[in-house]
């Protein structure tokens, strides 16, 4: 019997057991053996696009796990429990649990590479019973993945050597070989050619939709025996009595916005593992918890971030240049703001275009989304996009701290992989190869550690820390460690470009110093009255778009009646402490129209803070950039959020 079938059969057996209590049954979630999680939907309300207020889902389905309850057992009925509702505590309901060898949180390139490598090792050793389980909060593998992306194929070629082979029926078919690449420095109307540093050359690389690439990796993971569960949002880290990580729990379903249980209430499920690998990507909600608990940043600098805003266009055939890669710096960003843009021609008449804005920008009037709309008006980009059609939009935060911001990656019972640790090579504008490689290194260290240890006691991945420092990841990031922080000089982008050229062409990281990131991103923001106000032009609906039109292209869906996953303890206090100084910063840094200050004469500041959580596209910017760090991004119900296409 397969591991997946074991899990299913065990849960169904417990559900139909006459000794199972009603309380236990309320927490059961059971996967039907003939139905994949991603195939199960329930109808819901739909609208063509989100609204400013009281926003409902933009799509018509919500993916949730199936339930396998005996018809002889009563469902949880809020009417019969009316007397208990006011004091309801979900923790009073017992959670079902499952024991696996390795649990991986996150279905991105790092988590999938780790899962595949672990099962490769187990299968080679003839250990069919070795269980590797991967949890992904998106309803489908790849649905929350967004990147440029030009990938360096070194890691995938090591993991799956036949990934592009013509005789491989399961090959990845979405890779466009990189062609000519160029670098431009932009003024408002000009595009000035500048030398591209060596690490930005893309010969031998491929332009891909990372969304499709992750989906393909998920299929390969299932082929080797990984238990892949999309739609399961890990929301809690579990610990043993000795403080080591025991596993994770998924969040509860069917909780109303008031905090009371609905008729659909289901308790989350626990997954216990000897090793838990966290591959949630940038600023993961559980990763930040284990980083704090185990003080993993005690010997590193704080992480710093950027926000990438992206669209995919179908352009006129005469404007399409398959494989062409263009990068730019300068306009539209201010001289003191780090960032850059890209334009990649891939597939059939498709163009990926995006702008990354460093989140240590100082002016609270700046809107990364607004800057992206300005970018498309520049002749370099406008000439390609005009006459085309925008088919997809997305945004997400990305890691920029580099070598000096890498935390310790191993801790009792688990480890950080991929962007949960921060392996993006910012000057190279690539991170997928390092994310996958880190997952593979962690997998090999995990396999070795589990073979050498007994079933009792915490497992620590010493080999992962060591192999990481001896890997290409460490060498690559160390060489470019000073390039990103060099843009903190008073000369801004100009000083950074000069120093970066020196490092890239001559010094190549062989210097005794390591530049520091001076402040955390949220602390870099200045009061609004100290900065020039920025007015953004009204969108034309052809090349530039209002933010809610863009959000409608993400496929974002959240059930409305659930606790707000963007957690602010006291909305009035947040308003009093944030609005007078920053004048609505949240509305401008969010690329999805989630945050608003609505005119309200009854409030002391004259405005009321509002969170349109249904619009959230899971970019994590609010958790990073909120000046008082009082917004906590937590996972919503599993299967919700964006459903990206071609990103």
């Amino acid at each position: 019997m397969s591991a997946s079938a074991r899990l299913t059969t065990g849960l169904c057996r417990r559900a139909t057991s006459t000794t199972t209590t009603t309380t236990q049954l309320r927490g059961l979630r059971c996967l039907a053996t003939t139905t994949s999680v991603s195939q199960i939907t329930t109808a819901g309300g739909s609208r063509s696009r989100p609204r400013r207020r009281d926003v409902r889902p933009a799509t018509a389905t919500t993916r949730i796990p199936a339930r396998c309850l005996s018809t002889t057992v009563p469902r949880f009925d809020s009417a019969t429990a009316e007397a208990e509702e006011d004091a309801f505590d979900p923790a009073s309901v017992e959670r079902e649990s499952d024991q696996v060898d390795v649990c991986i949180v996150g279905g991105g390139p790092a988590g999938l590479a780790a899962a595949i490598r672990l099962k490769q090792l187990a299968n080679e050793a003839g250990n069919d019973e070795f269980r590797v389980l991967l949890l992904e909060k998106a309803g489908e593998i790849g649905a929350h993945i967004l990147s440029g992306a030009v990938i360096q194929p070194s890691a995938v070629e090591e993991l799956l050597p036949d990934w592009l082979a013509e005789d491989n029926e399961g090959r990845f078919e979405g890779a466009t070989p990189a062609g000519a690449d160029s670098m431009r420095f932009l003024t408002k109307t000009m595009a000035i050619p500048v030398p591209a540093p060596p690490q930005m050359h893309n010969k031998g690389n491929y332009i891909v939709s990372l969304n499709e690439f992750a989906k393909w990796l998920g299929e390969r993971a299932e082929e080797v025996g990984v238990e892949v569960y999309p739609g399961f949002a890990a929301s809690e880290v579990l610990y043993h009595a000795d403080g080591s990580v025991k596993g994770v729990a998924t969040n509860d379903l069917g909780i109303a916005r008031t905090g009371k249980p609905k008729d659909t209430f289901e308790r989350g499920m626990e997954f216990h593992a000897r090793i838990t690998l966290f591959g949630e990507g940038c600023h993961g909600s559980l990763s930040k918890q284990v980083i704090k608990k185990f003080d993993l940043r005690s010997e590193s600098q704080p992480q710093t971030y950027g926000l990438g805003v992206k669209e995919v266009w179908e352009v006129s055939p005469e404007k399409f240049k398959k494989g062409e890669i263009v990068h730019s710096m300068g306009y539209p960003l201010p001289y003191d703001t780090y960032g850059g843009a890209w334009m990649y021609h891939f597939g059939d008449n498709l163009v990926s275009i995006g702008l990354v804005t460093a989140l240590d920008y100082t002016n609270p009037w700046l809107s990364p989304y607004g800057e992206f709309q300005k970018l498309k008006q520049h002749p370099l980009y406008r000439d390609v996009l005009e006459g085309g059609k925008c088919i997809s939009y997305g945004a997400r935060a990305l890691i920029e701290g580099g070598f000096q911001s890498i935390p310790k990656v191993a801790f009792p019972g688990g480890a950080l992989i991929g962007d949960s640790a921060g392996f993006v090579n910012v000057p190279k504008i690539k991170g997928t190869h390092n994310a996958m490689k880190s997952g593979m290194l962690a997998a090999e260290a995990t396999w070795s550690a589990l073979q050498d240890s007994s079933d009792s006691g915490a497992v620590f991945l010493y080999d992962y820390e060591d192999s990481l420092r001896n890997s290409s990841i460490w060498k690559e990031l160390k060489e470019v460690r000073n390039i990103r922080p060099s843009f903190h000089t008073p000369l801004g982008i100009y000083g950074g470009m000069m120093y970066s050229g020196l490092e890239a062409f001559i010094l190549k990281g062989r210097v005794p110093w390591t530049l520091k990131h001076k402040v955390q991103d949220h602390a870099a923001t200045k009061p609004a009255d100290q900065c020039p106000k920025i007015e953004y032009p009204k969108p034309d609906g052809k090349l530039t778009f209002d933010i809610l039109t863009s959000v409608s292209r993400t496929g974002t869906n959240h059930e409305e009646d659930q606790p707000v996953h963007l957690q602010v303890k006291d909305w009035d206090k947040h308003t009093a402490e944030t609005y007078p100084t920053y004048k609505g910063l949240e509305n401008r840094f969010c690329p999805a129209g989630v945050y608003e200050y609505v005119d309200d004469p009854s409030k002391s500041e004259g405005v009321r803070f509002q969170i349109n959580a249904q619009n959230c596209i899971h970019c994590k910017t609010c958790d990073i950039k909120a000046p008082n760090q009082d917004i906590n991004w937590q996972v919503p119900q599993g299967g919700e959020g964006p459903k990206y296409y071609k990103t």
Side-chain angles (χ1 to χ4, degrees), residues 43 45 67 80 102 122 143 145 175 188 249 261 292 301 364 366 412 444 456 466 477 502 510 514 537 564 588 645:
R67 284 189 278 186
T80 63
V102 181
I145 301 294
K188 189 172 183 178
K292 182 177 181 179
Q301 294 178 29
L366 186 143
E444 291 163 357
S456 61
D466 292 340
L477 295 184
L502 185 65
R510 299 184 298 246
T514 296
V564 176
R588 292 183 288 274
Y645 172 70

PDB file of all heavy atoms in Angstrom, residues 43 45 67 80 102 122 143 145 175 188 249 261 292 301 364 366 412 444 456 466 477 502 510 514 537 564 588 645:
ATOM      1  N   ALA A  43     -18.722  25.594  -4.848  1.00  0.00           N
ATOM      2  CA  ALA A  43     -19.126  26.812  -5.525  1.00  0.00           C
ATOM      3  C   ALA A  43     -19.172  27.970  -4.558  1.00  0.00           C
ATOM      4  O   ALA A  43     -19.490  27.825  -3.404  1.00  0.00           O
ATOM      5  CB  ALA A  43     -20.495  26.616  -6.171  1.00  0.00           C
ATOM      6  N   GLY A  45     -19.456  32.672  -4.492  1.00  0.00           N
ATOM      7  CA  GLY A  45     -19.784  33.872  -5.256  1.00  0.00           C
ATOM      8  C   GLY A  45     -18.623  34.323  -6.101  1.00  0.00           C
ATOM      9  O   GLY A  45     -17.477  34.093  -5.781  1.00  0.00           O
ATOM     10  N   ARG A  67     -13.802  15.554   2.806  1.00  0.00           N
ATOM     11  CA  ARG A  67     -14.019  14.957   4.112  1.00  0.00           C
ATOM     12  C   ARG A  67     -14.552  13.548   3.937  1.00  0.00           C
ATOM     13  O   ARG A  67     -15.267  13.254   2.994  1.00  0.00           O
ATOM     14  CB  ARG A  67     -14.985  15.802   4.934  1.00  0.00           C
ATOM     15  CG  ARG A  67     -14.326  17.033   5.482  1.00  0.00           C
ATOM     16  CD  ARG A  67     -15.219  17.738   6.445  1.00  0.00           C
ATOM     17  NE  ARG A  67     -16.172  18.570   5.729  1.00  0.00           N
ATOM     18  CZ  ARG A  67     -17.008  19.388   6.344  1.00  0.00           C
ATOM     19  NH1 ARG A  67     -17.008  19.485   7.637  1.00  0.00           N
ATOM     20  NH2 ARG A  67     -17.847  20.117   5.643  1.00  0.00           N
ATOM     21  N   THR A  80     -26.656  23.231  17.387  1.00  0.00           N
ATOM     22  CA  THR A  80     -26.697  22.367  18.561  1.00  0.00           C
ATOM     23  C   THR A  80     -25.664  22.759  19.591  1.00  0.00           C
ATOM     24  O   THR A  80     -25.696  22.281  20.717  1.00  0.00           O
ATOM     25  CB  THR A  80     -26.469  20.906  18.150  1.00  0.00           C
ATOM     26  OG1 THR A  80     -25.159  20.796  17.585  1.00  0.00           O
ATOM     27  CG2 THR A  80     -27.508  20.459  17.139  1.00  0.00           C
ATOM     28  N   VAL A 102       9.960  12.717   6.854  1.00  0.00           N
ATOM     29  CA  VAL A 102      10.350  14.104   6.578  1.00  0.00           C
ATOM     30  C   VAL A 102       9.119  14.873   6.115  1.00  0.00           C
ATOM     31  O   VAL A 102       8.383  14.408   5.231  1.00  0.00           O
ATOM     32  CB  VAL A 102      11.450  14.197   5.496  1.00  0.00           C
ATOM     33  CG1 VAL A 102      11.846  15.654   5.251  1.00  0.00           C
ATOM     34  CG2 VAL A 102      12.676  13.383   5.903  1.00  0.00           C
ATOM     35  N   ALA A 122      16.077   7.352  -1.093  1.00  0.00           N
ATOM     36  CA  ALA A 122      15.352   6.247  -0.473  1.00  0.00           C
ATOM     37  C   ALA A 122      15.094   5.127  -1.472  1.00  0.00           C
ATOM     38  O   ALA A 122      15.250   3.938  -1.149  1.00  0.00           O
ATOM     39  CB  ALA A 122      14.036   6.758   0.103  1.00  0.00           C
ATOM     40  N   ALA A 143       0.814  27.506  -8.117  1.00  0.00           N
ATOM     41  CA  ALA A 143      -0.181  28.580  -8.231  1.00  0.00           C
ATOM     42  C   ALA A 143       0.240  29.863  -7.529  1.00  0.00           C
ATOM     43  O   ALA A 143      -0.259  30.939  -7.863  1.00  0.00           O
ATOM     44  CB  ALA A 143      -1.529  28.111  -7.690  1.00  0.00           C
ATOM     45  N   ILE A 145       3.557  30.763  -7.296  1.00  0.00           N
ATOM     46  CA  ILE A 145       4.945  31.011  -7.687  1.00  0.00           C
ATOM     47  C   ILE A 145       5.007  32.130  -8.725  1.00  0.00           C
ATOM     48  O   ILE A 145       4.271  32.130  -9.713  1.00  0.00           O
ATOM     49  CB  ILE A 145       5.585  29.739  -8.279  1.00  0.00           C
ATOM     50  CG1 ILE A 145       5.558  28.602  -7.248  1.00  0.00           C
ATOM     51  CG2 ILE A 145       7.010  30.019  -8.728  1.00  0.00           C
ATOM     52  CD1 ILE A 145       6.412  28.835  -6.026  1.00  0.00           C
ATOM     53  N   ALA A 175      10.819  25.653 -21.665  1.00  0.00           N
ATOM     54  CA  ALA A 175      12.101  26.354 -21.563  1.00  0.00           C
ATOM     55  C   ALA A 175      12.468  27.021 -22.883  1.00  0.00           C
ATOM     56  O   ALA A 175      12.544  26.370 -23.921  1.00  0.00           O
ATOM     57  CB  ALA A 175      13.206  25.390 -21.147  1.00  0.00           C
ATOM     58  N   LYS A 188      14.116  59.519 -18.498  1.00  0.00           N
ATOM     59  CA  LYS A 188      12.682  59.514 -18.768  1.00  0.00           C
ATOM     60  C   LYS A 188      12.368  59.153 -20.213  1.00  0.00           C
ATOM     61  O   LYS A 188      11.337  58.534 -20.506  1.00  0.00           O
ATOM     62  CB  LYS A 188      12.074  60.871 -18.426  1.00  0.00           C
ATOM     63  CG  LYS A 188      10.552  60.872 -18.463  1.00  0.00           C
ATOM     64  CD  LYS A 188       9.975  62.169 -17.939  1.00  0.00           C
ATOM     65  CE  LYS A 188       8.449  62.130 -17.924  1.00  0.00           C
ATOM     66  NZ  LYS A 188       7.851  63.372 -17.369  1.00  0.00           N
ATOM     67  N   ALA A 249       1.413  21.975  12.026  1.00  0.00           N
ATOM     68  CA  ALA A 249      -0.028  21.757  11.965  1.00  0.00           C
ATOM     69  C   ALA A 249      -0.617  22.684  10.920  1.00  0.00           C
ATOM     70  O   ALA A 249      -0.156  23.821  10.740  1.00  0.00           O
ATOM     71  CB  ALA A 249      -0.673  22.012  13.324  1.00  0.00           C
ATOM     72  N   PRO A 261     -17.197  28.969  15.287  1.00  0.00           N
ATOM     73  CA  PRO A 261     -17.198  27.902  14.278  1.00  0.00           C
ATOM     74  C   PRO A 261     -18.450  27.958  13.413  1.00  0.00           C
ATOM     75  O   PRO A 261     -19.534  28.267  13.888  1.00  0.00           O
ATOM     76  CB  PRO A 261     -17.177  26.629  15.127  1.00  0.00           C
ATOM     77  CG  PRO A 261     -17.869  27.026  16.392  1.00  0.00           C
ATOM     78  CD  PRO A 261     -17.473  28.464  16.642  1.00  0.00           C
ATOM     79  N   LYS A 292      13.397  33.243  14.893  1.00  0.00           N
ATOM     80  CA  LYS A 292      13.359  33.949  16.179  1.00  0.00           C
ATOM     81  C   LYS A 292      13.554  32.994  17.350  1.00  0.00           C
ATOM     82  O   LYS A 292      14.334  33.283  18.272  1.00  0.00           O
ATOM     83  CB  LYS A 292      12.032  34.687  16.314  1.00  0.00           C
ATOM     84  CG  LYS A 292      11.910  35.498  17.594  1.00  0.00           C
ATOM     85  CD  LYS A 292      10.595  36.264  17.642  1.00  0.00           C
ATOM     86  CE  LYS A 292      10.500  37.092  18.916  1.00  0.00           C
ATOM     87  NZ  LYS A 292       9.210  37.863  18.971  1.00  0.00           N
ATOM     88  N   GLN A 301      23.505  39.594   9.586  1.00  0.00           N
ATOM     89  CA  GLN A 301      22.814  40.874   9.535  1.00  0.00           C
ATOM     90  C   GLN A 301      21.330  40.666   9.229  1.00  0.00           C
ATOM     91  O   GLN A 301      20.938  39.615   8.717  1.00  0.00           O
ATOM     92  CB  GLN A 301      23.450  41.763   8.465  1.00  0.00           C
ATOM     93  CG  GLN A 301      24.878  42.172   8.783  1.00  0.00           C
ATOM     94  CD  GLN A 301      25.496  43.014   7.687  1.00  0.00           C
ATOM     95  OE1 GLN A 301      24.808  43.728   6.969  1.00  0.00           O
ATOM     96  NE2 GLN A 301      26.805  42.924   7.549  1.00  0.00           N
ATOM     97  N   PRO A 364       7.640  57.688   1.718  1.00  0.00           N
ATOM     98  CA  PRO A 364       6.392  56.948   1.898  1.00  0.00           C
ATOM     99  C   PRO A 364       5.345  57.236   0.825  1.00  0.00           C
ATOM    100  O   PRO A 364       4.341  56.532   0.735  1.00  0.00           O
ATOM    101  CB  PRO A 364       5.906  57.402   3.271  1.00  0.00           C
ATOM    102  CG  PRO A 364       6.483  58.765   3.437  1.00  0.00           C
ATOM    103  CD  PRO A 364       7.826  58.709   2.767  1.00  0.00           C
ATOM    104  N   LEU A 366       5.998  56.977  -2.305  1.00  0.00           N
ATOM    105  CA  LEU A 366       6.330  56.127  -3.446  1.00  0.00           C
ATOM    106  C   LEU A 366       5.436  54.883  -3.461  1.00  0.00           C
ATOM    107  O   LEU A 366       5.192  54.264  -2.425  1.00  0.00           O
ATOM    108  CB  LEU A 366       7.802  55.714  -3.382  1.00  0.00           C
ATOM    109  CG  LEU A 366       8.361  54.924  -4.573  1.00  0.00           C
ATOM    110  CD1 LEU A 366       9.810  55.338  -4.854  1.00  0.00           C
ATOM    111  CD2 LEU A 366       8.304  53.414  -4.311  1.00  0.00           C
ATOM    112  N   PRO A 412      17.504  22.104  15.894  1.00  0.00           N
ATOM    113  CA  PRO A 412      17.049  20.771  16.310  1.00  0.00           C
ATOM    114  C   PRO A 412      15.720  20.386  15.675  1.00  0.00           C
ATOM    115  O   PRO A 412      14.705  21.040  15.873  1.00  0.00           O
ATOM    116  CB  PRO A 412      16.904  20.905  17.836  1.00  0.00           C
ATOM    117  CG  PRO A 412      17.835  22.003  18.207  1.00  0.00           C
ATOM    118  CD  PRO A 412      17.794  22.970  17.058  1.00  0.00           C
ATOM    119  N   GLU A 444      20.223  15.536   1.267  1.00  0.00           N
ATOM    120  CA  GLU A 444      21.314  14.578   1.459  1.00  0.00           C
ATOM    121  C   GLU A 444      21.754  14.528   2.916  1.00  0.00           C
ATOM    122  O   GLU A 444      22.038  13.453   3.463  1.00  0.00           O
ATOM    123  CB  GLU A 444      22.470  14.946   0.534  1.00  0.00           C
ATOM    124  CG  GLU A 444      22.133  14.702  -0.936  1.00  0.00           C
ATOM    125  CD  GLU A 444      23.070  15.409  -1.905  1.00  0.00           C
ATOM    126  OE1 GLU A 444      23.968  16.141  -1.437  1.00  0.00           O
ATOM    127  OE2 GLU A 444      22.887  15.244  -3.132  1.00  0.00           O
ATOM    128  N   SER A 456      14.682   7.947  18.566  1.00  0.00           N
ATOM    129  CA  SER A 456      14.428   8.855  19.681  1.00  0.00           C
ATOM    130  C   SER A 456      15.464   9.974  19.693  1.00  0.00           C
ATOM    131  O   SER A 456      16.588   9.813  19.235  1.00  0.00           O
ATOM    132  CB  SER A 456      14.472   8.097  21.013  1.00  0.00           C
ATOM    133  OG  SER A 456      15.754   7.512  21.200  1.00  0.00           O
ATOM    134  N   ASP A 466      27.620  22.378   7.021  1.00  0.00           N
ATOM    135  CA  ASP A 466      28.967  22.212   6.465  1.00  0.00           C
ATOM    136  C   ASP A 466      28.948  22.179   4.937  1.00  0.00           C
ATOM    137  O   ASP A 466      29.763  22.847   4.278  1.00  0.00           O
ATOM    138  CB  ASP A 466      29.601  20.923   7.003  1.00  0.00           C
ATOM    139  CG  ASP A 466      29.898  20.998   8.497  1.00  0.00           C
ATOM    140  OD1 ASP A 466      29.984  22.130   9.031  1.00  0.00           O
ATOM    141  OD2 ASP A 466      30.039  19.934   9.129  1.00  0.00           O
ATOM    142  N   LEU A 477      27.666  33.683  -3.585  1.00  0.00           N
ATOM    143  CA  LEU A 477      27.117  34.813  -2.839  1.00  0.00           C
ATOM    144  C   LEU A 477      28.208  35.631  -2.155  1.00  0.00           C
ATOM    145  O   LEU A 477      28.079  36.852  -2.014  1.00  0.00           O
ATOM    146  CB  LEU A 477      26.098  34.317  -1.812  1.00  0.00           C
ATOM    147  CG  LEU A 477      24.836  33.670  -2.392  1.00  0.00           C
ATOM    148  CD1 LEU A 477      23.865  33.298  -1.281  1.00  0.00           C
ATOM    149  CD2 LEU A 477      24.152  34.592  -3.400  1.00  0.00           C
ATOM    150  N   LEU A 502      33.340  48.110 -10.291  1.00  0.00           N
ATOM    151  CA  LEU A 502      34.665  47.787  -9.751  1.00  0.00           C
ATOM    152  C   LEU A 502      34.688  46.367  -9.196  1.00  0.00           C
ATOM    153  O   LEU A 502      35.624  45.596  -9.437  1.00  0.00           O
ATOM    154  CB  LEU A 502      35.026  48.802  -8.664  1.00  0.00           C
ATOM    155  CG  LEU A 502      36.426  48.701  -8.048  1.00  0.00           C
ATOM    156  CD1 LEU A 502      37.497  48.998  -9.083  1.00  0.00           C
ATOM    157  CD2 LEU A 502      36.544  49.659  -6.857  1.00  0.00           C
ATOM    158  N   ARG A 510      37.193  39.766  -3.702  1.00  0.00           N
ATOM    159  CA  ARG A 510      38.450  39.430  -3.030  1.00  0.00           C
ATOM    160  C   ARG A 510      38.941  40.595  -2.177  1.00  0.00           C
ATOM    161  O   ARG A 510      40.096  41.007  -2.289  1.00  0.00           O
ATOM    162  CB  ARG A 510      39.503  39.042  -4.069  1.00  0.00           C
ATOM    163  CG  ARG A 510      39.138  37.819  -4.905  1.00  0.00           C
ATOM    164  CD  ARG A 510      40.273  37.456  -5.846  1.00  0.00           C
ATOM    165  NE  ARG A 510      40.535  38.544  -6.795  1.00  0.00           N
ATOM    166  CZ  ARG A 510      40.339  38.483  -8.091  1.00  0.00           C
ATOM    167  NH1 ARG A 510      39.869  37.370  -8.618  1.00  0.00           N
ATOM    168  NH2 ARG A 510      40.611  39.496  -8.886  1.00  0.00           N
ATOM    169  N   THR A 514      33.407  43.550   4.363  1.00  0.00           N
ATOM    170  CA  THR A 514      32.036  43.199   3.998  1.00  0.00           C
ATOM    171  C   THR A 514      31.140  44.360   4.387  1.00  0.00           C
ATOM    172  O   THR A 514      31.033  44.705   5.574  1.00  0.00           O
ATOM    173  CB  THR A 514      31.574  41.918   4.725  1.00  0.00           C
ATOM    174  OG1 THR A 514      32.382  40.815   4.296  1.00  0.00           O
ATOM    175  CG2 THR A 514      30.113  41.618   4.409  1.00  0.00           C
ATOM    176  N   PRO A 537       0.082  59.275 -12.715  1.00  0.00           N
ATOM    177  CA  PRO A 537      -0.941  59.570 -13.733  1.00  0.00           C
ATOM    178  C   PRO A 537      -2.055  58.535 -13.727  1.00  0.00           C
ATOM    179  O   PRO A 537      -1.857  57.377 -13.332  1.00  0.00           O
ATOM    180  CB  PRO A 537      -0.150  59.528 -15.050  1.00  0.00           C
ATOM    181  CG  PRO A 537       1.057  58.705 -14.753  1.00  0.00           C
ATOM    182  CD  PRO A 537       1.397  58.944 -13.316  1.00  0.00           C
ATOM    183  N   VAL A 564      -9.459  37.565   9.525  1.00  0.00           N
ATOM    184  CA  VAL A 564      -8.537  38.291   8.650  1.00  0.00           C
ATOM    185  C   VAL A 564      -7.124  37.766   8.881  1.00  0.00           C
ATOM    186  O   VAL A 564      -6.618  37.775  10.004  1.00  0.00           O
ATOM    187  CB  VAL A 564      -8.608  39.807   8.930  1.00  0.00           C
ATOM    188  CG1 VAL A 564      -7.585  40.547   8.081  1.00  0.00           C
ATOM    189  CG2 VAL A 564     -10.008  40.328   8.645  1.00  0.00           C
ATOM    190  N   ARG A 588      -0.046  52.487  -0.435  1.00  0.00           N
ATOM    191  CA  ARG A 588       0.873  52.664  -1.563  1.00  0.00           C
ATOM    192  C   ARG A 588       1.880  51.531  -1.690  1.00  0.00           C
ATOM    193  O   ARG A 588       2.291  51.195  -2.810  1.00  0.00           O
ATOM    194  CB  ARG A 588       1.585  54.018  -1.429  1.00  0.00           C
ATOM    195  CG  ARG A 588       0.634  55.202  -1.615  1.00  0.00           C
ATOM    196  CD  ARG A 588       1.362  56.526  -1.554  1.00  0.00           C
ATOM    197  NE  ARG A 588       1.802  56.860  -0.206  1.00  0.00           N
ATOM    198  CZ  ARG A 588       1.065  57.486   0.708  1.00  0.00           C
ATOM    199  NH1 ARG A 588      -0.183  57.830   0.417  1.00  0.00           N
ATOM    200  NH2 ARG A 588       1.549  57.773   1.896  1.00  0.00           N
ATOM    201  N   TYR A 645      -0.821  32.567 -13.537  1.00  0.00           N
ATOM    202  CA  TYR A 645      -0.775  31.957 -14.864  1.00  0.00           C
ATOM    203  C   TYR A 645       0.419  32.514 -15.633  1.00  0.00           C
ATOM    204  O   TYR A 645       0.557  33.725 -15.796  1.00  0.00           O
ATOM    205  CB  TYR A 645      -2.075  32.268 -15.618  1.00  0.00           C
ATOM    206  CG  TYR A 645      -2.084  31.863 -17.073  1.00  0.00           C
ATOM    207  CD1 TYR A 645      -2.122  30.524 -17.441  1.00  0.00           C
ATOM    208  CD2 TYR A 645      -2.058  32.824 -18.087  1.00  0.00           C
ATOM    209  CE1 TYR A 645      -2.137  30.147 -18.774  1.00  0.00           C
ATOM    210  CE2 TYR A 645      -2.074  32.459 -19.424  1.00  0.00           C
ATOM    211  CZ  TYR A 645      -2.114  31.120 -19.764  1.00  0.00           C
ATOM    212  OH  TYR A 645      -2.121  30.753 -21.085  1.00  0.00           O
TER     213      TYR A 645
END
